[in-house]
Amino acid sequence: MALAVAALDDGFAWSSQATPPSAVEIDSKVVELTELAYTIPSRRLAQLLAEWAAADRVLESRLLAYAAAADQGSDGSEPAGRDWRL
């Protein structure tokens, strides 16, 4: 019980009805586009994503949320600057 309370206090969420990732159906179009994205150099892919996010508020919000989640647990220092030019 103490473990469950500590996990909830730290924001860890789970469900007794969770579906393992291997059992989740993924849209074939998403799979196709993901495979295509792997062929694009990361800097170009980041630029493409940024261009779309600048025009789409929902995508921008998701991008900011993913970035914030990736930054959690860092030492609190500012991330190193990136050269965004292609």
Side-chain angles (χ1 to χ4, degrees):
M1 184 66 161
L3 179 60
V5 171
L8 289 172
D9 286 345
D10 284 342
F12 183 82
W14 70 86
S15 169
S16 63
Q17 297 180 10
T19 304
S22 61
V24 174
E25 281 285 322
I26 299 175
D27 184 345
S28 62
K29 187 69 170 182
V30 172
V31 171
E32 177 186 344
L33 292 172
T34 299
E35 290 171 355
L36 179 65
Y38 275 117
T39 68
I40 300 171
S42 61
R43 288 170 46 151
R44 289 194 183 273
L45 190 58
Q47 182 67 31
L48 176 64
L49 178 60
E51 289 170 1
W52 276 96
D56 182 332
R57 288 185 176 182
V58 173
L59 180 56
E60 178 185 13
S61 294
R62 290 189 70 187
L63 179 60
L64 291 169
Y66 278 115
D71 193 43
Q72 285 182 353
S74 70
D75 62 3
S77 63
E78 288 294 316
R82 301 234 190 273
D83 181 2
W84 55 268
R85 291 167 282 149
L86 299 177

